[in-house]
mmCIF file of all heavy atoms in Angstrom:
data_model
loop_
_atom_site.group_PDB
_atom_site.id
_atom_site.type_symbol
_atom_site.label_atom_id
_atom_site.label_comp_id
_atom_site.label_asym_id
_atom_site.label_seq_id
_atom_site.Cartn_x
_atom_site.Cartn_y
_atom_site.Cartn_z
ATOM 1 N N SER A 79 5.175 1.320 4.204
ATOM 2 C CA SER A 79 6.486 2.068 4.212
ATOM 3 C C SER A 79 6.154 3.540 3.878
ATOM 4 O O SER A 79 5.465 3.804 2.960
ATOM 5 C CB SER A 79 7.478 1.503 3.141
ATOM 6 O OG SER A 79 7.847 0.193 3.455
ATOM 7 N N PHE A 80 6.791 4.433 4.709
ATOM 8 C CA PHE A 80 6.664 5.870 4.438
ATOM 9 C C PHE A 80 8.097 6.405 4.049
ATOM 10 O O PHE A 80 9.068 5.940 4.569
ATOM 11 C CB PHE A 80 6.311 6.615 5.786
ATOM 12 C CG PHE A 80 4.750 6.549 5.960
ATOM 13 C CD1 PHE A 80 4.255 5.573 6.850
ATOM 14 C CD2 PHE A 80 3.869 7.359 5.406
ATOM 15 C CE1 PHE A 80 2.891 5.498 7.163
ATOM 16 C CE2 PHE A 80 2.596 7.320 5.681
ATOM 17 C CZ PHE A 80 2.100 6.399 6.547
ATOM 18 N N GLU A 81 7.999 7.320 3.093
ATOM 19 C CA GLU A 81 9.296 7.922 2.590
ATOM 20 C C GLU A 81 8.936 9.444 2.567
ATOM 21 O O GLU A 81 8.040 9.853 1.886
ATOM 22 C CB GLU A 81 9.627 7.461 1.237
ATOM 23 C CG GLU A 81 10.937 8.030 0.721
ATOM 24 C CD GLU A 81 11.318 7.475 -0.655
ATOM 25 O OE1 GLU A 81 11.381 6.258 -0.809
ATOM 26 O OE2 GLU A 81 11.516 8.266 -1.505
ATOM 27 N N LYS A 82 9.768 10.225 3.298
ATOM 28 C CA LYS A 82 9.616 11.644 3.361
ATOM 29 C C LYS A 82 10.029 12.240 2.029
ATOM 30 O O LYS A 82 11.052 11.984 1.543
ATOM 31 C CB LYS A 82 10.451 12.266 4.475
ATOM 32 C CG LYS A 82 10.080 13.642 4.785
ATOM 33 C CD LYS A 82 10.783 14.140 6.060
ATOM 34 C CE LYS A 82 10.045 15.301 6.684
ATOM 35 N NZ LYS A 82 10.608 15.586 8.034
ATOM 36 N N ILE A 83 9.130 13.133 1.510
ATOM 37 C CA ILE A 83 9.384 13.746 0.180
ATOM 38 C C ILE A 83 10.049 15.159 0.506
ATOM 39 O O ILE A 83 11.140 15.435 0.084
ATOM 40 C CB ILE A 83 8.115 13.937 -0.637
ATOM 41 C CG1 ILE A 83 7.490 12.595 -0.983
ATOM 42 C CG2 ILE A 83 8.409 14.729 -1.819
ATOM 43 C CD1 ILE A 83 6.140 12.674 -1.555
ATOM 44 N N LYS A 84 9.264 15.976 1.215
ATOM 45 C CA LYS A 84 9.757 17.279 1.596
ATOM 46 C C LYS A 84 8.912 17.824 2.686
ATOM 47 O O LYS A 84 7.700 17.746 2.639
ATOM 48 C CB LYS A 84 9.848 18.156 0.434
ATOM 49 C CG LYS A 84 10.471 19.552 0.672
ATOM 50 C CD LYS A 84 10.446 20.372 -0.578
ATOM 51 C CE LYS A 84 11.004 21.776 -0.260
ATOM 52 N NZ LYS A 84 10.961 22.625 -1.431
ATOM 53 N N GLY A 85 9.417 18.437 3.736
ATOM 54 C CA GLY A 85 8.674 19.096 4.781
ATOM 55 C C GLY A 85 7.638 18.016 5.471
ATOM 56 O O GLY A 85 8.205 17.059 6.077
ATOM 57 N N THR A 86 6.328 18.228 5.290
ATOM 58 C CA THR A 86 5.452 17.362 5.874
ATOM 59 C C THR A 86 4.893 16.400 4.845
ATOM 60 O O THR A 86 3.902 15.646 5.182
ATOM 61 C CB THR A 86 4.326 18.124 6.550
ATOM 62 O OG1 THR A 86 3.679 18.995 5.582
ATOM 63 C CG2 THR A 86 4.835 19.098 7.687
ATOM 64 N N ALA A 87 5.362 16.329 3.666
ATOM 65 C CA ALA A 87 4.870 15.526 2.575
ATOM 66 C C ALA A 87 5.624 14.237 2.528
ATOM 67 O O ALA A 87 6.777 14.089 2.620
ATOM 68 C CB ALA A 87 4.927 16.164 1.202
ATOM 69 N N TYR A 88 4.780 13.069 2.495
ATOM 70 C CA TYR A 88 5.302 11.712 2.461
ATOM 71 C C TYR A 88 4.648 10.909 1.239
ATOM 72 O O TYR A 88 3.524 11.200 0.920
ATOM 73 C CB TYR A 88 4.968 10.990 3.672
ATOM 74 C CG TYR A 88 5.713 11.338 4.930
ATOM 75 C CD1 TYR A 88 5.357 12.499 5.628
ATOM 76 C CD2 TYR A 88 6.799 10.593 5.363
ATOM 77 C CE1 TYR A 88 5.993 12.923 6.774
ATOM 78 C CE2 TYR A 88 7.507 11.063 6.425
ATOM 79 C CZ TYR A 88 7.161 12.159 7.164
ATOM 80 O OH TYR A 88 7.802 12.489 8.335
ATOM 81 N N SER A 89 5.429 9.955 0.742
ATOM 82 C CA SER A 89 4.853 9.010 -0.105
ATOM 83 C C SER A 89 4.800 7.718 0.677
ATOM 84 O O SER A 89 5.554 7.549 1.615
ATOM 85 C CB SER A 89 5.617 8.823 -1.419
ATOM 86 O OG SER A 89 6.896 8.301 -1.108
ATOM 87 N N PHE A 90 3.855 6.813 0.398
ATOM 88 C CA PHE A 90 3.731 5.599 1.116
ATOM 89 C C PHE A 90 3.438 4.467 0.205
ATOM 90 O O PHE A 90 2.839 4.654 -0.964
ATOM 91 C CB PHE A 90 2.827 5.678 2.226
ATOM 92 C CG PHE A 90 1.387 5.957 1.820
ATOM 93 C CD1 PHE A 90 0.457 4.937 1.556
ATOM 94 C CD2 PHE A 90 0.927 7.249 1.877
ATOM 95 C CE1 PHE A 90 -0.832 5.185 1.159
ATOM 96 C CE2 PHE A 90 -0.360 7.516 1.479
ATOM 97 C CZ PHE A 90 -1.240 6.480 1.123
ATOM 98 N N PHE A 91 3.661 3.218 0.489
ATOM 99 C CA PHE A 91 3.342 2.091 -0.244
ATOM 100 C C PHE A 91 3.355 0.826 0.713
ATOM 101 O O PHE A 91 3.915 0.910 1.806
ATOM 102 C CB PHE A 91 4.202 1.824 -1.428
ATOM 103 C CG PHE A 91 5.656 1.621 -1.078
ATOM 104 C CD1 PHE A 91 6.094 0.298 -0.861
ATOM 105 C CD2 PHE A 91 6.476 2.664 -0.898
ATOM 106 C CE1 PHE A 91 7.470 0.126 -0.460
ATOM 107 C CE2 PHE A 91 7.820 2.447 -0.590
ATOM 108 C CZ PHE A 91 8.343 1.221 -0.275
ATOM 109 N N GLY A 92 2.708 -0.183 0.292
ATOM 110 C CA GLY A 92 2.740 -1.398 1.058
ATOM 111 C C GLY A 92 1.950 -2.482 0.541
ATOM 112 O O GLY A 92 1.516 -2.581 -0.561
ATOM 113 N N ASN A 93 1.722 -3.469 1.464
ATOM 114 C CA ASN A 93 0.972 -4.660 1.063
ATOM 115 C C ASN A 93 -0.228 -4.776 2.004
ATOM 116 O O ASN A 93 -0.053 -4.662 3.219
ATOM 117 C CB ASN A 93 1.810 -5.893 1.176
ATOM 118 C CG ASN A 93 1.085 -7.165 0.706
ATOM 119 O OD1 ASN A 93 -0.012 -7.503 1.267
ATOM 120 N ND2 ASN A 93 1.605 -7.790 -0.255
ATOM 121 N N SER A 94 -1.369 -4.862 1.509
ATOM 122 C CA SER A 94 -2.576 -4.906 2.425
ATOM 123 C C SER A 94 -3.185 -6.378 2.580
ATOM 124 O O SER A 94 -4.377 -6.417 2.869
ATOM 125 C CB SER A 94 -3.697 -3.963 1.850
ATOM 126 O OG SER A 94 -3.911 -4.167 0.507
ATOM 127 N N GLY A 95 -2.444 -7.313 2.380
ATOM 128 C CA GLY A 95 -2.906 -8.671 2.457
ATOM 129 C C GLY A 95 -2.868 -9.464 1.178
ATOM 130 O O GLY A 95 -2.262 -10.533 1.037
ATOM 131 N N VAL A 96 -3.533 -8.979 0.226
ATOM 132 C CA VAL A 96 -3.552 -9.548 -1.146
ATOM 133 C C VAL A 96 -2.790 -8.614 -2.152
ATOM 134 O O VAL A 96 -2.036 -9.010 -2.987
ATOM 135 C CB VAL A 96 -4.951 -9.919 -1.595
ATOM 136 C CG1 VAL A 96 -4.949 -10.390 -3.042
ATOM 137 C CG2 VAL A 96 -5.642 -10.788 -0.599
ATOM 138 N N ASN A 97 -3.199 -7.363 -2.137
ATOM 139 C CA ASN A 97 -2.813 -6.395 -3.071
ATOM 140 C C ASN A 97 -1.796 -5.438 -2.540
ATOM 141 O O ASN A 97 -1.606 -5.347 -1.267
ATOM 142 C CB ASN A 97 -3.888 -5.606 -3.587
ATOM 143 C CG ASN A 97 -4.838 -6.499 -4.501
ATOM 144 O OD1 ASN A 97 -4.516 -6.865 -5.652
ATOM 145 N ND2 ASN A 97 -5.979 -6.887 -3.941
ATOM 146 N N THR A 98 -1.068 -4.710 -3.391
ATOM 147 C CA THR A 98 -0.218 -3.614 -2.961
ATOM 148 C C THR A 98 -0.935 -2.281 -3.137
ATOM 149 O O THR A 98 -1.851 -2.157 -3.933
ATOM 150 C CB THR A 98 1.114 -3.624 -3.835
ATOM 151 O OG1 THR A 98 0.773 -3.455 -5.219
ATOM 152 C CG2 THR A 98 1.885 -4.843 -3.583
#
Side-chain angles (χ1 to χ4, degrees):
S79 295
F80 280 96
E81 184 177 307
K82 193 171 200 169
I83 298 171
K84 183 179 180 186
T86 60
Y88 288 81
S89 65
F90 62 87
F91 61 92
N93 184 302
S94 51
V96 177
N97 291 287
T98 58

